Amino acid sequence: MPYAGPMTPLPSETMARVLAFWFGAPGSSEEGAPRPEWFKQSDAFDRAIAERFEEEMDAAADGRLDALMDSPLGCVALCILLDQFPRNVWRDSARAFACDQKARTVARHAIEQGFDEQLKPVHRLFLYLPFEHSESMADQEVSMALFTALGDPGWLEFARKHYDIVERFDRFPHRNAVLGRTSTAAEEAFLSERGRGF
């Protein structure tokens, strides 16, 4: 038989697995509670994502899970697969950012459909992060508006820090090395003094 290409995970099953892994099992006391692993490096957590979701990440990247864009939580799951999981699995490599544009497409679609208004704040956070992660000032403006409306001071503070860096340098200097970009003297000084800056 001719090769038919990679198998596509079922969108509904993928959504359920991603959301349960990231936010906690539905109905559990952990569901939706902030997790330190979300924004702090954990090799064990990164390995767990790679072992459980690499097939789904590939499917999301090449459009085989686009059916998830039909629902609010489906869009959240796609953003996690495209924007969050790559930053864990391929940390400190160019591949970590390879799906950022598609993640923004999903997030923008969700907002245009009003899906974010149907979600809990913790779900909206991960729907909005693709804009915060963008090196476009237009996207950073969107990020600031979304996080201001969300109303969480901590999340807004992080959005502001990202905004300020892109406003100053037109990009995130800490990505320069893995993306093969040459840092300016000002960026080198910034990285030496402040690291990532957020």
Side-chain angles (χ1 to χ4, degrees), residues 87-177:
R87 283 168 163 75
N88 290 87
V89 174
W90 298 303
R91 192 183 297 276
D92 300 323
S93 75
R95 197 175 179 186
F97 314 111
C99 293
D100 282 10
Q101 182 173 345
K102 185 169 179 62
R104 288 193 298 274
T105 297
V106 173
R108 192 170 286 111
H109 163 80
I111 292 164
E112 289 171 352
Q113 298 299 313
F115 286 168
D116 55 326
E117 298 174 3
Q118 304 173 41
L119 294 167
K120 298 176 181 178
V122 71
H123 294 141
R124 291 167 64 186
L125 165 64
F126 291 97
L127 195 64
Y128 296 165
L129 281 178
F131 298 105
E132 182 178 304
H133 292 157
S134 174
E135 293 186 316
S136 159
M137 275 309 299
D139 290 334
Q140 288 295 326
E141 294 283 357
V142 172
S143 170
M144 286 300 299
L146 292 170
F147 279 103
T148 297
L150 192 54
D152 184 287
W155 295 343
L156 178 59
E157 179 183 1
F158 274 98
R160 168 61 70 180
K161 289 179 178 179
H162 285 72
Y163 178 98
D164 289 345
I165 292 170
V166 175
E167 183 181 43
R168 179 176 175 183
F169 298 110
D170 294 320
R171 59 188 184 178
F172 293 113
H174 74 274
R175 297 182 187 176
N176 290 348

Side-chain angles (χ1 to χ4, degrees), residues 56-82:
E56 288 83 354
M57 292 165 66
D58 289 340
D62 64 25
R64 287 180 286 129
L65 290 174
D66 282 358
L68 289 175
M69 293 174 67
D70 291 340
S71 72
L73 284 174
C75 288
V76 174
L78 266 181
C79 283
I80 292 169
L81 284 164
L82 295 165

